[in-house]
């Protein structure tokens, strides 16, 4: 059932609408059932979640008899951004993920944010799907604010990601959808994966398998599910090392995403295409796994090249003793 959860008039007789698709068991009775909400499209240039929403709906419709709870799908929280492939809300110079929880008596965007929070509140779990920007590629991961780690880590372990990154509290995060919902008692996982303006099909399918596994654990899905991979969990800020460009140029990687590196291994080079020179070599400062890698080749001094997870953890599937 398609439902408009928020609507507001725009200039020239246009209307901004945020919609969801509610899937309920055959017979239509939803009272007292567990509910999972899948949210994406807060940033209009992050498209990985579009395929995830499609595939979740497709699988449920193919086996509707196995649905025993409520699944709410929100594919476009920022429909204007999705339509124009714009990260923020076009015309407002505004990041939608910095205006939550909103307010029903606020300005136009605060009102919409408030309506979104009202509709999502009470979900047994919410999954907020993001991609990286056009500059970086991320492995499938869940990012958790340390304030909510005890409640969220057990849920995150079920969604089939490679990495769970518990990060420190940050005041800017207080205005995000996930922080607002978690603070109000609705457990919300933030998934980051892939790259901006693209769909990375293997990552999407990996997450979809994880969503169905979590739905099975919650009693929302009775069908067959796949065992999730065991994620690496990092709670120490010193686990993560950042690689940054030392000068402007063209970055060319020499390693693969999620590759295991040793200290001194060549990650990539920065080139000067005019003079045909290698300006700098980017080498790994630690033993670790490359979980973020530069996708967009043009860099300036200070541009993020990648992130490494220090070699304190085995990879998923390896001996964890």
């Amino acid at each position: 059932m398609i439902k408009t959860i928020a609507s507001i008039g725009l200039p020239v007789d246009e209307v901004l609408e945020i919609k969801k698709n509610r899937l309920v068991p055959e017979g239509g009775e939803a009272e007292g059932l567990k509910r999972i909400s899948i949210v994406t499209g807060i940033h209009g240039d992050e498209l990985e979640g579009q395929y995830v929403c499609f595939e979740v709906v497709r699988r449920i419709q193919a086996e509707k008899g196995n649905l025993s709870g409520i699944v709410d799908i929100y594919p476009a929280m920022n429909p204007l951004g999705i339509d124009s492939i714009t990260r923020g809300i076009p015309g407002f110079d505004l990041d939608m993920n910095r205006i939550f929880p909103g307010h029903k008596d606020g300005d136009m965007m605060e009102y919409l944010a408030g309506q979104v929070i009202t509709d999502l509140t009470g979900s047994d779990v919410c999954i907020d799907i993001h991609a990286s920007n056009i500059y970086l590629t991320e492995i499938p991961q869940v990012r958790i604010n340390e304030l909510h780690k005890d409640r969220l880590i057990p849920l995150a372990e079920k969604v089939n990601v490679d990495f769970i990154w518990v990060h420190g509290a940050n005041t800017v995060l207080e205005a995000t959808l996930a922080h607002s919902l978690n603070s109000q008692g609705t457990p919300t996982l933030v998934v980051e994966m892939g790259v901006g303006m693209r769909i990375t099909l293997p990552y999407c399918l990996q997450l979809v398998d994880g969503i169905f596994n979590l739905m099975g654990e919650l009693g929302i899905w009775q069908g067959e599910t796949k065992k999730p991979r065991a994620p690496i969990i990092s709670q120490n800020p010193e686990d993560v090392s950042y690689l940054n460009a030392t000068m402007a140029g063209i970055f060319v990687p020499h390693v693969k995403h999620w590759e295991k590196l040793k200290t001194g291994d060549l990650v990539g080079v920065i080139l000067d295409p005019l003079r045909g020179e290698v300006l700098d070599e980017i080498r790994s400062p630690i033993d670790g796994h490359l979980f973020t890698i530069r996708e967009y080749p043009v860099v300036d001094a200070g541009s993020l090249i990648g992130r490494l997870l220090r070699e304190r953890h085995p990879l998923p599937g390896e001996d964890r003793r």
Side-chain angles (χ1 to χ4, degrees):
M1 177 179 64
I2 307 297
K3 179 182 178 182
T4 298
I5 65 165
S7 176
I8 198 162
L10 295 174
V12 199
D13 292 330
E14 295 181 321
V15 178
L16 189 162
E17 294 181 325
I18 299 175
K19 297 182 179 182
K20 74 174 181 182
N21 185 0
R22 167 160 287 191
L23 303 165
V24 298
E26 293 178 332
E29 181 59 45
E31 188 69 27
L33 298 180
K34 292 287 187 75
R35 172 163 64 116
I36 185 171
S37 295
I38 301 170
V39 173
T40 192
I42 287 178
H43 293 134
D45 61 349
E46 299 178 357
L47 305 177
E48 304 281 7
Q50 301 298 301
Y51 191 87
V52 173
C53 289
F54 158 79
E55 182 65 9
V56 169
V57 174
R58 186 196 69 79
R59 292 189 190 184
I60 290 174
Q61 290 178 335
E63 300 182 54
K64 194 66 178 291
N66 285 320
L67 184 63
S68 53
I70 302 168
V71 181
D72 281 340
I73 305 289
Y74 304 76
M77 283 295 188
N78 176 9
L80 296 179
I82 293 283
D83 288 347
S84 58
I85 316 299
T86 303
R87 183 172 182 80
I89 301 172
F92 294 89
D93 191 27
L94 189 64
D95 185 338
M96 188 176 187
N97 212 27
R98 296 295 182 271
I99 60 174
F100 291 101
H103 196 280
K104 64 182 179 65
D105 297 322
D107 63 23
M108 183 170 79
M109 291 306 162
E110 289 178 322
Y111 167 77
L112 291 175
Q115 294 296 102
V116 167
I117 290 290
T118 297
D119 203 72
L120 288 168
T121 296
S123 301
D124 291 276
V125 65
C126 175
I127 300 178
D128 179 17
I129 304 171
H130 292 261
S132 187
N133 52 37
I134 64 170
Y135 302 103
L136 303 166
T137 300
E138 302 279 2
I139 63 164
Q141 60 196 267
V142 173
R143 297 183 182 179
I144 295 173
N145 189 302
E146 64 181 359
L147 298 174
H148 310 293
K149 65 180 182 179
D150 293 340
R151 186 177 191 185
L152 296 184
I153 288 177
L155 295 171
E157 289 179 307
K158 296 177 172 61
V159 296
N160 201 36
V161 294
D162 297 301
F163 178 34
I164 298 173
W165 186 2
V166 180
H167 56 79
N170 189 322
T171 54
V172 72
L173 298 177
E174 293 179 3
T176 64
L177 175 71
H179 187 277
S180 298
L181 287 172
N182 280 314
S183 297
Q184 296 179 16
T186 298
T188 302
L189 301 176
V190 176
V191 174
E192 294 270 357
M193 65 179 189
V195 63
M197 298 189 186
R198 298 291 185 271
I199 289 176
T200 311
L201 193 59
Y203 290 172
C204 294
L205 294 176
Q206 177 182 335
L207 180 60
V208 171
D209 287 342
I211 289 172
F212 275 88
N213 177 70
L214 179 58
M215 287 165 54
E217 294 282 344
L218 294 172
I220 294 172
W221 183 252
Q222 303 301 320
E224 184 178 350
T225 61
K226 295 182 179 179
K227 182 180 179 180
R229 57 189 73 191
I232 295 171
I233 302 174
S234 172
Q235 301 189 54
N236 187 342
E238 295 182 359
D239 282 349
V240 176
S241 180
Y242 295 80
L243 302 174
N244 297 92
T246 56
M247 59 188 67
I250 301 297
F251 172 71
V252 179
H254 281 219
V255 293
K256 296 180 181 178
H257 195 206
W258 198 222
E259 190 167 333
K260 183 177 179 180
L261 303 177
K262 295 293 185 181
T263 301
D265 282 352
L266 182 65
V267 177
V269 294
I270 297 176
L271 308 176
D272 181 345
L274 177 63
R275 295 177 175 81
E277 298 176 352
V278 175
L279 300 176
D280 195 18
E281 294 181 342
I282 308 297
R283 294 187 177 274
S284 176
I286 60 171
D287 294 352
H289 303 101
L290 189 68
F291 70 91
T292 304
I293 184 67
R294 184 82 179 184
E295 180 79 15
Y296 191 76
V298 179
V299 296
D300 294 314
S303 294
L304 185 61
I305 296 293
R307 299 186 187 96
L308 289 120
L309 180 65
R310 189 177 300 276
E311 180 58 65
R312 293 178 179 171
H313 315 271
L315 280 170
E318 295 180 353
D319 190 346
R320 297 177 64 86
R321 292 174 293 178

